[in-house]
Amino acid sequence: MNAPPRRVEHQQTDKGTVPIYTTAIVEQPWSTYSRADHGTWATLFKRQQQILAGRACREFIGNQQRFGMTPDAIPKFDDLNRVLKAATGWELIGVEGLLPELTFFDHLANRRFPVTWWIRKPEQVDYIAEPDLFHDLFGHVPLLLNPLFADYMQAYGCGGVKAHGLGAEALVNLTRLYWYTVEFGLIREGNGSGDDGLRIYGSGIVSSKGESIHCLESPAPNRIGFDMPRIMRTRYRIDTYQKTYFVIDSFEQLMEATRPDFTPLYAQLATQESIPAGSVLQNDKVYNRGTGEGWASEGDV
Ligand code: PHE
Ligand code: CO
């Protein structure tokens, strides 16, 4: 079996107590993955591939195929990097797990995407509280082949370094944007097939069986058009499905909206109250007004 990940400290944050690992970059210890580890990858990969057909956006599915990811074995970072570097100049680096914010931003700003090298245990296939290899690799890596999204992730890293210098409140605003786009974003694909065209691009969704279905098909959550200042004010859930998903029209829209310098926006947002995770506002472009069924009343972070 794998050596256990090297947890260095627990940090009290707005998201509760989270483990922060060593900041070291580690070589992916591919030969130490056990049969059980490869089996966990296979189980999760096959299951998600089935669920995501017709639910994940075209870019996600097409790029996953371009990487040649298969259920047969945990991919080697080196193999993925050959494809990725040639396409968008991004590089995957192995890490033990969650990184301190500034370290994470600095990697993104330099087109390095940290991937947790270890994979969850078989009993954790349905839920794991922290990112592992399956979430990071299966969830995040495919869209790094998309030139627009690749630029967005780098710009986010640069913006993170800046927000970190501006203070804790700016960082909270920016983190919400990451959460509601990179992790839990939906996109509207014109498909002419009569459904509403909503598809998944967020990594936190594509790596979760339950949420992949819930986010699109359940009447419970709100599905609302992308609105950047609104998102930056909106609290979120870390231990349940999201109460609200935000829908972009295109990756161009995401790039355009995030191009301006956020410094004045942060100052303006500092004067406004945060919005509970499940609220619908007057000006929201509502695709679905959630029924709120099954929502916990407490626990937005
Ligand atoms: N434009 C943002 C800023 O000035 C940076 C950013 C880009 C943040 C893309 C998120 C996503 O801070
Ligand atoms: Co993630």
Side-chain angles (χ1 to χ4, degrees):
M1 272 314 250
N2 292 328
R6 288 189 287 264
R7 210 164 262 190
V8 290
E9 58 177 307
H10 285 80
Q11 190 168 287
Q12 198 51 45
T13 70
D14 61 335
K15 288 154 248 170
T17 307
V18 298
I20 301 286
Y21 296 90
T22 161
T23 56
I25 294 174
V26 296
E27 180 102 16
Q28 183 189 25
W30 196 85
S31 62
T32 71
Y33 292 134
S34 65
R35 285 176 68 114
D37 291 333
H38 289 294
T40 301
W41 168 265
T43 301
L44 287 165
F45 188 96
K46 286 186 208 154
R47 193 168 83 174
Q48 286 312 99
Q49 209 178 26
Q50 273 199 343
I51 290 173
L52 293 176
R55 291 195 176 93
C57 67
R58 277 189 297 265
E59 281 294 321
F60 180 87
I61 293 181
N63 288 336
Q64 193 178 58
Q65 287 165 355
R66 252 175 91 191
F67 271 119
M69 289 188 198
T70 73
D72 303 341
I74 295 173
K76 293 182 175 163
F77 297 174
D78 286 348
D79 292 342
L80 302 175
N81 273 336
R82 269 190 285 280
V83 180
L84 190 55
K85 276 188 195 163
T88 56
W90 274 78
E91 178 191 5
L92 309 181
I93 52 169
V95 294
E96 299 285 349
L98 286 172
L99 296 171
E101 270 157 339
L102 199 52
T103 310
F104 179 64
F105 294 144
D106 181 64
H107 285 312
L108 298 186
N110 290 286
R111 293 197 173 232
R112 293 186 297 264
F113 191 78
V115 175
T116 304
W117 69 263
W118 52 270
I119 193 161
R120 68 191 72 186
K121 302 212 159 47
E123 60 270 25
Q124 294 171 312
V125 290
D126 290 323
Y127 183 78
I128 180 166
E130 57 188 295
D132 72 329
L133 178 139
F134 185 73
H135 168 79
D136 288 341
L137 197 55
F138 183 96
H140 283 279
V141 173
L143 284 185
L144 293 175
L145 276 186
N146 175 284
L148 283 168
F149 199 83
D151 288 351
Y152 176 70
M153 290 294 283
Q154 179 178 23
Y156 177 83
C158 298
V161 173
K162 189 175 69 186
H164 191 270
L166 290 172
E169 272 190 277
L171 218 47
V172 168
N173 294 143
L174 191 67
T175 302
R176 289 175 182 152
L177 178 63
Y178 189 86
W179 193 262
Y180 281 119
T181 59
V182 177
E183 293 290 351
F184 290 95
L186 299 180
I187 185 166
R188 195 157 60 103
E189 281 186 346
N191 62 357
S193 75
D195 70 19
D196 60 9
L198 299 194
R199 298 288 184 270
I200 306 161
Y201 72 92
S203 318
I205 308 177
V206 294
S207 60
S208 158
K209 176 190 175 200
E211 194 147 12
S212 293
I213 298 169
H214 179 87
C215 70
L216 294 176
E217 281 143 67
S218 169
N222 303 313
R223 289 181 276 273
I224 293 174
F226 175 83
D227 174 337
M228 204 182 51
R230 199 280 195 212
I231 288 176
M232 286 196 175
R233 292 174 56 201
T234 308
R235 293 160 67 191
Y236 56 87
R237 309 290 307 185
I238 54 159
D239 55 354
T240 66
Y241 296 153
Q242 300 308 306
K243 293 180 174 179
T244 300
Y245 300 93
F246 291 93
V247 182
I248 59 172
D249 293 324
S250 64
F251 294 121
E252 284 86 352
Q253 179 194 28
L254 196 54
M255 271 317 278
E256 280 312 307
T258 53
R259 208 180 293 283
D261 180 0
F262 287 177
T263 310
L265 179 59
Y266 294 139
Q268 188 203 323
L269 292 171
T271 68
Q272 296 180 297
E273 300 246 321
S274 68
I275 302 167
S279 296
V280 176
L281 309 183
Q282 194 93 60
N283 290 327
D284 285 340
K285 176 173 179 182
V286 178
Y287 292 98
N288 182 67
R289 178 180 290 264
T291 61
E293 192 193 328
W295 283 359
S297 54
E298 296 287 299
D300 294 3
V301 299

